[in-house]
Amino acid sequence: MSFEFIENGTVTTPEGFLAAGVTAGFKRSGAPDFAMVVSEVPAEFAGVFTSCTFAAAPVQLCKKRVLESDFLRAVVINSGNANACTGEQGMASAVKSCEIAAQALNIPAESVAVASTGRIGVQMNMALIEKGVALALPALSRNGGALAAEAIMTTDTVPKAAAVKLQFGDKTVSIGAMVKGAGMIDPNLKVPHATMISVITTDAALSKAQLQKMLAVNADCSYNRITVDGDMSTNDTVLLLANGCSGVKIAPDSAEEAAFAEALLAVMQNLAKRMVLDGEGSTKFVEIKVINARSAEDARKAAEAVGNSLLCKTAWFGNDPNWGRVVAALGYSGAQFDPDKCDIYFGNIPVVKNGGDAGTPESDLRATVKEREFTITCDFNDGDAEYWVWSSDISYEYVKINADYHT
């Protein structure tokens, strides 16, 4: 029951899913900015969302859907307006967006989910939602996944989609997904409670309970492990839909379920890594691994401190192997460890041994940090717990993008 990635796979690779991406007018650039993903039959579903207290209206409505709706038939997504911090009117707009799509598709409004991304604090222009739905409806197709992935982008430079297939006897199950996110990326997704938005589809048949458990576990090993700038969004949303169109029903606690979960994780990690690689202005992809820690919580605190350190991130951009910034971040992380036991490696090269300089020539270290992708391993030699984080550097371009974003 091994899986394989499908070339040019998208959210519509699984059977029974349609999608479209159109230009409704949310973006001043005229780029595509409205997407729809539709299941041809009712789909079981699950969701995880931002833990930000200022959760946007679409996030609040999606939480309600997860708790109260029996199935989903469609997801509508706009880019260019986050519909966050918009009060009662914003919630009414989110509800109305679902109603407009539901009427056009002739399905219950409660079976439509909504996600938004873009500028915070601006009321939704409902005429643009109506235009988006009117344009997307005739454009829905099995080939629409790539256009939908493009339409949900904000500061992303490339669309991000992936799909895998698994063989169960003589039947094939597919998992497809799309994601957007390049800045304001440091998800902390809770269950079920700019921005990361992801829609994941499968033509396998699974229960809502199976999907919710699987999504929560896999989010903690994918989307929750990335950071571009340490800023959590108001709009982070991940939805997983399963419509059963493959004819394969996956039983709980079975070998088939384990194989499916592994394939789902591979898709989510693939897209998580691509978000970091596409981080606003980023030039580096850095994996921070903390190993042999006293507890998983200590390892997490330490890895996240390094991954979010502005001093570390700017050093990576400048190809500066300044390991002092790494030990400083470890030290203030709140993790419990003995600094005199700590070893640190850039790639496979030792930079710190027993808490002090390992004596490696700086020229050797510089060659490692010049690479597009490299790993920093922090070995606490103090237990058996570990944790990893994927991070990026902070460049001049990141400052420019975010200095100009509002205006």
Side-chain angles (χ1 to χ4, degrees):
M1 290 181 289
S2 60
F3 62 86
E4 62 179 278
F5 277 88
I6 300 171
E7 186 176 1
N8 300 319
T10 73
V11 74
T12 54
T13 295
E15 294 292 329
F17 286 97
L18 310 173
V22 298
T23 299
F26 289 98
K27 294 177 181 174
R28 287 178 287 184
S29 65
D33 54 17
F34 186 87
M36 288 180 66
V37 178
V38 175
S39 176
E40 295 181 298
V41 298
E44 296 283 357
F45 71 103
V48 290
F49 309 98
T50 182
S51 58
C52 180
T53 302
F54 272 111
V59 169
Q60 297 177 49
L61 183 57
C62 280
K63 290 181 184 178
K64 182 179 174 69
R65 294 283 190 263
V66 169
L67 293 172
E68 300 179 2
S69 294
D70 293 329
F71 60 87
L72 278 190
R73 286 292 307 277
V75 183
V76 294
I77 307 170
N78 73 276
S79 58
N81 184 337
N83 193 12
C85 303
T86 46
E88 293 182 4
Q89 184 178 337
M91 180 57 71
S93 296
V95 171
K96 184 64 175 177
S97 297
C98 295
E99 291 174 347
I100 293 169
Q103 184 175 7
L105 294 164
N106 194 27
I107 59 176
E110 294 76 18
S111 70
V112 181
V114 60
S116 300
T117 177
R119 186 171 162 185
I120 293 171
V122 178
Q123 294 295 341
M124 187 66 69
N125 183 336
M126 297 310 297
L128 297 182
I129 294 291
E130 292 175 347
K131 180 181 177 182
V133 170
L135 291 172
L137 189 65
L140 288 168
S141 78
R142 287 299 311 279
N143 298 317
L147 290 173
E150 181 182 355
I152 64 176
M153 294 165 54
T154 49
T155 57
D156 308 63
T157 64
V158 292
K160 305 169 190 70
V164 298
K165 63 180 179 180
L166 306 87
Q167 202 69 29
F168 291 95
D170 60 351
K171 294 182 177 180
T172 301
V173 164
S174 298
I175 304 171
M178 64 180 184
V179 73
K180 65 81 54 183
M184 197 178 273
I185 297 294
D186 187 20
N188 186 11
L189 304 166
K190 298 297 183 183
V191 189
H193 288 272
T195 305
M196 188 205 68
I197 292 176
S198 182
V199 177
I200 308 169
T201 60
T202 181
D203 47 22
L206 300 100
S207 70
K208 179 180 281 191
Q210 285 176 283
L211 294 171
Q212 193 66 59
K213 179 180 179 180
M214 203 177 297
L215 184 60
V217 170
N218 284 355
D220 275 341
C221 292
S222 57
Y223 295 151
N224 278 355
R225 298 292 185 104
I226 65 174
T227 177
V228 169
D229 46 25
D231 279 316
M232 186 194 308
S233 169
T234 55
N235 290 62
D236 291 332
T237 299
V238 184
L239 293 168
L240 170 58
L241 288 71
N243 67 11
C245 286
S246 68
V248 176
K249 182 176 177 60
I250 298 179
D253 302 317
S254 63
E256 289 79 9
E257 185 186 60
F260 181 90
E262 182 182 359
L264 175 63
L265 178 60
V267 171
M268 295 172 69
Q269 288 186 340
N270 175 283
L271 295 177
K273 181 173 183 178
R274 286 159 65 183
M275 275 191 283
V276 178
L277 286 167
D278 192 34
E280 291 173 343
S282 73
T283 68
K284 301 289 172 62
F285 175 92
V286 185
E287 180 178 50
I288 300 100
K289 295 170 61 178
V290 175
I291 61 174
N292 298 320
R294 295 179 187 177
S295 70
E297 181 65 9
D298 287 321
R300 182 192 65 79
K301 288 178 179 178
E304 290 182 348
V306 175
N308 285 322
S309 165
L310 285 176
L311 287 178
C312 289
K313 292 162 85 69
T314 50
W316 301 334
F317 173 65
N319 302 320
D320 181 1
N322 189 341
W323 57 262
R325 296 181 176 184
V326 176
V327 298
L330 295 174
Y332 66 62
S333 68
Q336 299 298 308
F337 65 97
D338 184 345
D340 292 333
K341 294 181 178 179
C342 181
D343 301 332
I344 299 175
Y345 300 82
F346 283 10
N348 295 320
I349 303 174
V351 295
V352 171
K353 188 67 176 176
N354 296 326
D357 187 358
T360 303
E362 187 171 291
S363 58
D364 293 350
L365 302 178
R366 187 177 296 276
T368 296
V369 297
K370 280 185 175 181
E371 296 177 4
R372 176 71 171 97
E373 301 182 29
F374 61 91
T375 299
I376 295 175
T377 303
C378 307
D379 188 345
F380 285 170
N381 294 298
D382 209 12
D384 57 8
E386 60 183 52
Y387 197 88
W388 55 266
V389 167
W390 289 339
S391 185
S392 64
D393 58 346
I394 291 292
S395 68
Y396 306 134
E397 186 65 17
Y398 176 88
V399 176
K400 183 179 186 303
I401 290 169
N402 285 281
D404 296 344
Y405 185 79
H406 190 274
T407 53

